[in-house]
Amino acid sequence: MSNATLKKIGVLTSGGDSPGMNTAVRAVVRACAYYQIKCVGIKMGYEGLIQNQMSELGARSVKHIINRGGTFLQTARSDEFRTKEGREKAYKHLKSNGLDALIVIGGDGSFTGANVFFKEFGIPFIGIPGTIDNDIFGTDFTIGYDTALNTVIEAIDRIRDSATSHNRIFFVEVMGRDAGFIALNSGIASGAQDILIPEKKDSLEGLFQSLEKSEQAGKNSSIIVVAEGEELGNAFELAKATEMRFPDYDVRVTVLGHIQRGGNPTCMDRVLASRLGVAGVEGLLEGRTNVMAGLRSNKVVYTPIEEAIKKHNEIDKELIKVAKILAV
Ligand code: ATP
């Protein structure tokens, strides 16, 4: 597609929300205004395409959202879009609104949906990674991840105050169903005694040894960070096993939950979202489709969407080593 054939694009946010999605939408809308193409905001992800809920956005319609968490377009998980009939409705509304292409801000499920839609109806699209989990291949960071990390360490800093005041062991569960990026990085940044993530083989014995070592080293409290997807068990189960093994320990659990998704995006997430929003529009103008715009070594890169969906970023083993060394 050349510059001349791209006249109107739609932008939507889909899947789980993440801080910085608003900033990314703003960047898409403003880049469209800059390049003089029309931009349409689609409400509630693919649901808005199916229900024809969309409206044109100009540069001023995205004022004062650069710093706001969540997504003013709202997001949804659309079961109807998983069906052929649902996607046919979406295509009908997309055409009746004159849209030439889509920018999809979301996770790998959202990219899969856009790819299926492309294969059926040939609608060009570019994906922008918006998820706190940082589990998408083709970018060093996803939009929302840095903000979530900062929220987690702020919370753990507070928990530490209580832990040290009472000689307690806290199991803190953080988000990450399939990936331990949040747990590993926040664990290092908050000085956790142990970090349990799905990417590494953990054992109860290893955990108990770490707690014993902590006691022998004269520590009077410990923080254990547990990723949601940890295979050994959730924070409550691990706390229970620990209490059974060490009846004298005062063990507590905090599940951070949805506070990790909220809040004003950090500077890093705002800059990332701004760059990727512009890259999304420029990519479409250059004729790219079925790619995800991401950042690698601080440069914008486009990764084929199938790679972004299928491949996974590996956990950096050096970080696991650092966490272990510092828990001495
Ligand atoms: P998160 O990482 O926050 O979970 P996600 O983008 O991976 O975000 P999903 O719920 O997996 O979130 O996907 C978002 C939406 O994308 C789904 O609700 C559905 O509408 C669409 N989608 C996902 N997979 C498919 C598919 N195979 N075919 C059609 N649509 C799909």
Side-chain angles (χ1 to χ4, degrees), residues 14-17 46 76-79 81-82 87 106-113 116 130-131 133 135 177 261:
S14 168
D17 62 304
Y46 297 120
R77 299 191 197 271
S78 168
D79 286 336
F81 196 73
R82 291 177 184 272
R87 293 192 295 274
D108 52 4
S110 303
F111 300 159
T112 304
V116 169
T131 165
D133 293 341
D135 57 349
R177 277 194 308 261
R261 285 187 190 264

Side-chain angles (χ1 to χ4, degrees), residues 194 196 200-209 230 232:
D194 210 342
L196 305 177
K200 84 178 156 68
K201 271 241 156 302
D202 294 306
S203 69
L204 279 179
E205 222 24 67
L207 170 66
F208 296 155
Q209 275 170 16
E230 166 60 19
L232 206 53

Side-chain angles (χ1 to χ4, degrees), residues 74-114:
Q74 298 186 283
T75 177
R77 299 191 197 271
S78 168
D79 286 336
E80 209 179 339
F81 196 73
R82 291 177 184 272
T83 68
K84 184 87 202 263
E85 297 73 43
R87 293 192 295 274
E88 272 165 2
K89 277 192 217 166
Y91 178 69
K92 193 179 89 191
H93 292 140
L94 188 138
K95 279 287 126 190
S96 66
N97 284 280
L99 299 183
D100 302 312
L102 285 177
I103 290 187
V104 173
I105 305 168
D108 52 4
S110 303
F111 300 159
T112 304

Side-chain angles (χ1 to χ4, degrees), residues 76-326:
R77 299 191 197 271
S78 168
D79 286 336
E80 209 179 339
F81 196 73
R82 291 177 184 272
T83 68
K84 184 87 202 263
E85 297 73 43
R87 293 192 295 274
E88 272 165 2
K89 277 192 217 166
Y91 178 69
K92 193 179 89 191
H93 292 140
L94 188 138
K95 279 287 126 190
S96 66
N97 284 280
L99 299 183
D100 302 312
L102 285 177
I103 290 187
V104 173
I105 305 168
D108 52 4
S110 303
F111 300 159
T112 304
N115 208 27
V116 169
F117 198 51
F118 175 85
K119 284 184 180 150
E120 287 171 347
F121 300 103
I123 298 300
F125 77 93
I126 287 189
I128 294 180
T131 165
I132 63 167
D133 293 341
N134 207 38
D135 57 349
I136 297 184
F137 183 83
T139 189
D140 292 340
F141 305 107
T142 56
I143 297 167
Y145 171 60
D146 185 63
T147 308
L149 277 181
N150 280 286
T151 304
V152 170
I153 63 164
E154 193 188 323
I156 298 182
D157 287 349
R158 287 164 195 252
I159 289 167
R160 176 184 284 278
D161 290 344
S162 175
T164 52
S165 307
H166 290 276
N167 297 344
R168 278 177 180 155
I169 293 170
F170 265 91
F171 283 82
V172 182
E173 188 172 298
V174 301
M175 280 186 171
R177 277 194 308 261
D178 309 305
F181 293 101
I182 294 181
L184 182 56
N185 285 276
S186 67
I188 290 174
S190 58
Q193 175 63 31
D194 210 342
I195 303 166
L196 305 177
I197 55 174
E199 294 90 339
K200 84 178 156 68
K201 271 241 156 302
D202 294 306
S203 69
L204 279 179
E205 222 24 67
L207 170 66
F208 296 155
Q209 275 170 16
S210 167
L211 289 171
E212 274 174 337
K213 200 175 83 182
S214 154
E215 197 181 16
Q216 283 155 11
K219 299 186 193 175
N220 76 343
S221 63
S222 289
I223 307 277
I224 313 292
V225 177
V226 185
E228 215 179 354
E230 166 60 19
E231 285 164 9
L232 206 53
N234 64 32
F236 288 102
E237 290 161 349
L238 295 169
K240 192 146 190 227
T242 304
E243 273 173 334
M244 282 169 69
R245 174 69 177 259
F246 304 107
D248 297 342
Y249 284 6
D250 186 1
V251 182
R252 300 295 157 112
V253 177
T254 300
V255 177
L256 293 184
H258 281 81
I259 62 162
Q260 293 163 91
R261 285 187 190 264
N264 297 352
T266 57
C267 179
M268 192 172 144
D269 270 331
R270 293 185 204 187
V271 174
L272 176 68
S274 299
R275 292 176 76 179
L276 298 188
V278 170
V281 175
E282 288 184 340
L284 285 173
L285 282 168
E286 289 159 8
R288 296 176 199 269
T289 181
N290 302 60
V291 292
M292 182 191 80
L295 214 62
R296 280 246 146 128
S297 304
N298 206 20
K299 290 268 173 287
V300 169
V301 291
Y302 298 93
T303 300
I305 209 75
E306 263 142 19
E307 270 186 56
I309 293 166
K310 286 199 191 112
K311 293 189 182 170
H312 293 285
N313 286 333
E314 300 279 314
I315 283 279
D316 188 342
K317 295 223 166 48
E318 188 239 349
L319 291 181
I320 295 178
K321 189 184 82 180
V322 166
K324 195 167 176 202
I325 289 174
L326 298 182

